Amino acid sequence: MTNSATSHLLPVFARVDLGFERGEGSWLIATDGERYLDFTSGVAVNALGHCHPHLVKALQEQATKLWHMSNLFKSPDGDKLAARLCEQSFADLVFFCNSGAEAMECAIKIARRYHAAKGGPERYRLVTFEGAFHGRTLGTLAATGSAKYLEGFGPPLDGFDQVPHGDLEAVKKAIGRETAGILIEPVQGEGGVRSAPPSFFKALRQLCDDNGLLLVFDEVQTGMGRTGDLFAYRRIGVTPDIMPLAKALGGGFPIGACLATAEAASGMTPGSHGSTFGGNPLAIAAANAVLDVMLKPGFFDHVQRMSLLLKQKLASVVDRYPGVLAEVRGEGLLVGVKAVVPSGDLVTALRGQKLLTVGAGENVVRFLPPLIVTEVEIEESVKRLEHACASLSGGQLKQAAGQ
């Protein structure tokens, strides 16, 4: 890690002393010319890899037309993107913003406003879950509930009741007269690539229906193909009322979105929310281009095939290096490897093999390749993992059974 004395950037990131100047598909090229296999994807952002030709073309064309014109006026391309997202989901309405945290803030406001408009302004609290991560604003940090993120920023925003992940009885006990809804990630990314069985999500849906609550699925990381379908809720078989998106939505260009049913959003009226840059023409062009690619026949079949291959290959390495790795978990290409050694050591060793990964909670290392990753690139990533494991275990490379 480095903290350059000459940098004028606010030192809130423990940046690695490594810089990149360009990217090609699943690869990043460092300033010294070295090539790195990118299984971080900007933390699940670059779903179509780097410099995808369709995205590049869309942005180049839009850049010659219009960059910004304010949400005081109509946005034909924004209307088109919203319609496409609604067509592919449960939603009736979409709000565009700039990031996942902003999409989450919108979701929180929609849930609170819904009850206020129905004559229940006291219903503003959301049940959330331990291990969650919902963003870095004061509101989303309070929803996250992690002490390490909240320290030093004063009293957390009121309105969130955190319970153990997957504990249905705890959820039931947390529901009271002030409860507005339940907020959960289909898969906890930052929390260690953790999920709960579909039965748990179905039970949450039933609790919301029985108690007049809104169900919010935070799909900032899981949405836009990361778990093997366009949205993770479709794989679970449970439909939320509100769903924030971001990360992969723009394929690397900053854009967030909050999707909701007309009923859930019934309290949102002119002036109740807004954004200066949200849904700007460049971001809308990027997101429409991402959907063009993802909605082509066979795209998610490819993601699912690559997911199966990656998890099988990783499991083989786990078997051969039990002193370094413990298990493989995850859905689609949101894959986690729980480490025995400190996860930071594994991330560093992998970077030494020119494979980029990212840590998570529960001593997990996330493998987040672009969704367009090839079989050859997955094979290459596993070879690099094997070399990293060998170096960490102080031993020789161990051959898989039958080789």
Side-chain angles (χ1 to χ4, degrees), residues 20 26-28 34-39 310 313-314 317 320-321 324-325 345-357 367 376-392 397:
F20 299 101
S26 298
W27 298 83
L28 280 169
E34 293 286 350
R35 292 171 60 86
Y36 288 75
L37 187 53
D38 184 10
F39 273 39
L310 177 59
K313 295 289 185 180
L314 291 176
V317 183
R320 282 176 282 132
Y321 292 94
V324 180
L325 308 176
D345 291 353
L346 180 56
V347 169
T348 299
L350 290 169
R351 190 166 62 248
Q353 297 296 326
K354 296 183 173 55
L355 174 64
L356 303 176
T357 57
F367 284 64
V376 170
E377 289 165 341
I378 285 177
E379 295 277 4
E380 182 62 33
S381 75
V382 173
K383 288 180 184 177
R384 297 181 186 209
L385 173 62
E386 290 171 338
H387 283 281
C389 288
S391 67
L392 288 169
L397 284 172

Side-chain angles (χ1 to χ4, degrees), residues 25-27 38-41 46-50 226 302 333 368-374:
S26 298
W27 298 83
D38 184 10
F39 273 39
T40 296
S41 299
N46 300 99
L48 302 183
H50 299 282
R226 180 53 59 180
H302 171 81
L333 289 173
L368 302 169
L371 305 186
I372 48 88
V373 69
T374 65

Side-chain angles (χ1 to χ4, degrees), residues 54-73:
H54 187 63
L55 272 65
V56 170
K57 183 173 182 287
L59 269 178
Q60 287 176 334
E61 290 180 353
Q62 185 60 48
T64 66
K65 297 177 183 178
L66 185 65
W67 288 24
H68 181 74
M69 80 294 180
S70 170
N71 283 308
L72 295 172
F73 307 101

Side-chain angles (χ1 to χ4, degrees), residues 143-166:
T144 296
S146 173
K148 71 176 181 179
Y149 294 131
L150 288 164
E151 183 181 358
F153 297 113
L157 179 72
D158 185 37
F160 302 96
D161 299 303
Q162 197 166 67
V163 300
H165 188 257

Side-chain angles (χ1 to χ4, degrees), residues 282-314:
L282 290 169
I284 293 295
N288 267 316
V290 168
L291 274 181
D292 291 342
V293 176
M294 289 190 177
L295 295 181
K296 286 183 178 178
F299 182 86
F300 296 114
D301 292 336
H302 171 81
V303 176
Q304 291 164 20
R305 287 196 305 273
M306 294 304 100
S307 169
L308 181 61
L309 177 65
L310 177 59
K311 287 192 282 191
Q312 287 176 337
K313 295 289 185 180
L314 291 176

Side-chain angles (χ1 to χ4, degrees), residues 23-377:
E24 301 169 351
S26 298
W27 298 83
L28 280 169
I29 296 85
T31 51
D32 62 1
E34 293 286 350
R35 292 171 60 86
Y36 288 75
L37 187 53
D38 184 10
F39 273 39
T40 296
S41 299
V43 191
V45 168
N46 300 99
L48 302 183
H50 299 282
C51 296
H52 190 286
H54 187 63
L55 272 65
V56 170
K57 183 173 182 287
L59 269 178
Q60 287 176 334
E61 290 180 353
Q62 185 60 48
T64 66
K65 297 177 183 178
L66 185 65
W67 288 24
H68 181 74
M69 80 294 180
S70 170
N71 283 308
L72 295 172
F73 307 101
K74 288 186 175 181
S75 171
D77 289 336
D79 284 339
K80 174 186 174 183
L81 176 59
R84 296 177 80 185
L85 289 171
C86 289
E87 180 182 309
Q88 294 296 323
S89 72
F90 66 92
D92 303 302
L93 298 166
V94 180
F95 177 83
F96 291 119
C97 50
N98 307 288
S99 67
E102 287 184 37
M104 270 304 314
E105 287 279 349
C106 181
I108 294 167
K109 290 176 75 172
I110 288 175
R112 291 183 171 194
R113 186 86 171 195
Y114 169 79
H115 291 286
K118 298 288 185 182
E122 74 283 356
R123 304 185 74 174
Y124 69 99
R125 308 189 69 83
L126 292 174
V127 178
T128 61
F129 295 87
E130 293 175 1
F133 183 84
H134 297 297
R136 294 280 190 169
T137 64
L138 289 175
T140 55
L141 282 177
T144 296
S146 173
K148 71 176 181 179
Y149 294 131
L150 288 164
E151 183 181 358
F153 297 113
L157 179 72
D158 185 37
F160 302 96
D161 299 303
Q162 197 166 67
V163 300
H165 188 257
D167 188 337
L168 188 60
E169 290 306 310
V171 176
K172 292 177 180 178
K173 290 179 182 177
I175 295 174
R177 62 180 296 275
E178 295 181 341
T179 305
I182 298 172
L183 166 61
I184 189 169
E185 299 158 281
V187 180
Q188 289 187 344
E190 299 286 339
V193 192
R194 298 195 308 162
S195 189
S199 59
F200 179 71
F201 291 95
K202 290 177 182 176
L204 295 183
R205 176 72 270 176
Q206 192 62 54
L207 279 175
C208 287
D209 293 344
D210 292 344
N211 292 277
L213 309 178
L214 296 177
L215 181 60
V216 185
F217 277 3
D218 177 351
E219 291 228 34
V220 168
Q221 186 163 163
T222 59
M224 301 306 295
R226 180 53 59 180
T227 63
D229 203 338
L230 189 61
F231 307 118
Y233 84 85
R234 303 204 306 202
R235 293 178 63 81
I236 295 171
V238 176
T239 302
D241 302 295
I242 305 170
M243 182 175 70
L245 299 174
K247 287 194 178 285
L249 180 58
F253 199 96
I255 182 172
C258 187
L259 282 61
T261 64
E263 173 64 13
S266 58
M268 304 303 286
T269 55
S272 61
H273 197 48
S275 171
T276 296
F277 293 107
N280 76 82
L282 290 169
I284 293 295
N288 267 316
V290 168
L291 274 181
D292 291 342
V293 176
M294 289 190 177
L295 295 181
K296 286 183 178 178
F299 182 86
F300 296 114
D301 292 336
H302 171 81
V303 176
Q304 291 164 20
R305 287 196 305 273
M306 294 304 100
S307 169
L308 181 61
L309 177 65
L310 177 59
K311 287 192 282 191
Q312 287 176 337
K313 295 289 185 180
L314 291 176
S316 174
V317 183
V318 169
D319 289 343
R320 282 176 282 132
Y321 292 94
V324 180
L325 308 176
E327 66 169 321
V328 179
R329 54 174 73 167
E331 296 287 336
L333 289 173
L334 173 50
V335 178
V337 177
K338 186 172 177 62
V340 175
V341 300
S343 59
D345 291 353
L346 180 56
V347 169
T348 299
L350 290 169
R351 190 166 62 248
Q353 297 296 326
K354 296 183 173 55
L355 174 64
L356 303 176
T357 57
V358 59
E362 295 198 335
N363 207 46
V364 165
V365 174
R366 278 174 289 176
F367 284 64
L368 302 169
L371 305 186
I372 48 88
V373 69
T374 65
E375 185 172 336
V376 170
E377 289 165 341

